């Protein structure tokens, strides 16, 4: 019986090490800069971002964070923040403002972190877009 308990502790410790190393690998991949210039428009760029769902196309497209209830999709789009400036909760606010060539990185924030930082506007998540000209 004692050998089994020792084996369990060893296996549990090994799994803990594997979990720690895999999570640190994920953060390194998120920091990698992606080239968005290959996309034709901002809708295609947002479709490529993990954790975002784009419904519709062109000027009628709506963006939602995965995991939020979108059955009544009115006013449930995330807040868009470009270079630290909130621009609203509609993809229409970004049309004409950004092109794929201008985008350096996109980060999604959800839950308590989004609402504590942006208040009620961040209730359905935040899409932070950093441009190549950001200071």
């Amino acid at each position: 019986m004692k050998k089994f308990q020792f084996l369990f502790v060893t296996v549990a410790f090994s799994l803990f090490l594997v979990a720690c190393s895999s999570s640190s690998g994920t953060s390194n991949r998120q920091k990698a800069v992606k080239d968005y210039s290959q996309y034709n428009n901002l809708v295609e760029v947002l479709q490529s971002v993990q954790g975002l769902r784009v419904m519709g196309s062109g000027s009628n497209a709506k963006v939602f964070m995965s995991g939020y209830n979108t059955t009544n999709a009115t006013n449930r789009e995330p807040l868009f923040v470009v270079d630290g400036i909130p621009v609203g909760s509609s993809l229409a606010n970004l049309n004409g403002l950004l092109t794929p060539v201008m985008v350096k990185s996109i980060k999604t924030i959800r839950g308590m972190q989004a609402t504590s930082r942006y208040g009620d506007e961040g209730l359905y998540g935040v899409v932070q877009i950093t441009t190549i000209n950001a200071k």
Side-chain angles (χ1 to χ4, degrees), residues 27-77:
S27 64
N28 289 338
R29 275 183 263 142
Q30 289 175 346
K31 291 180 183 176
V33 175
K34 184 174 181 180
D35 180 22
Y36 293 105
S37 64
Q38 64 186 341
Y39 297 101
N40 296 318
N41 54 48
L42 200 54
V43 172
E44 290 180 7
V45 170
L46 294 173
Q47 286 173 333
S48 73
V49 176
Q50 185 177 4
L52 292 181
R53 290 187 303 140
V54 180
M55 298 172 71
S57 61
S59 61
N60 296 326
K62 292 189 178 267
V63 178
F64 302 100
M65 300 282 274
S66 297
Y68 288 95
N69 181 7
T70 56
T71 53
N72 277 334
T74 57
N75 300 328
R76 296 206 177 187
E77 291 186 78

Side-chain angles (χ1 to χ4, degrees), residues 41 46 56 79 81 83 95 102 128-129 134:
N41 54 48
L46 294 173
L79 173 66
V81 178
D83 294 335
N95 287 340
M102 297 169 68
Q128 288 183 330
I129 300 173

Side-chain angles (χ1 to χ4, degrees), residues 7 14 16 19-21 27 29 37-39 55 63 70 75-76 91 95 97 102 105 107 115 124 126 132-133:
L7 179 63
S14 298
F16 175 76
C20 289
S21 64
S27 64
R29 275 183 263 142
S37 64
Q38 64 186 341
Y39 297 101
M55 298 172 71
V63 178
T70 56
N75 300 328
R76 296 206 177 187
L91 184 56
N95 287 340
L97 183 65
M102 297 169 68
S105 66
K107 179 181 176 185
T115 54
Y124 297 108
V126 176
I132 55 174
N133 296 327

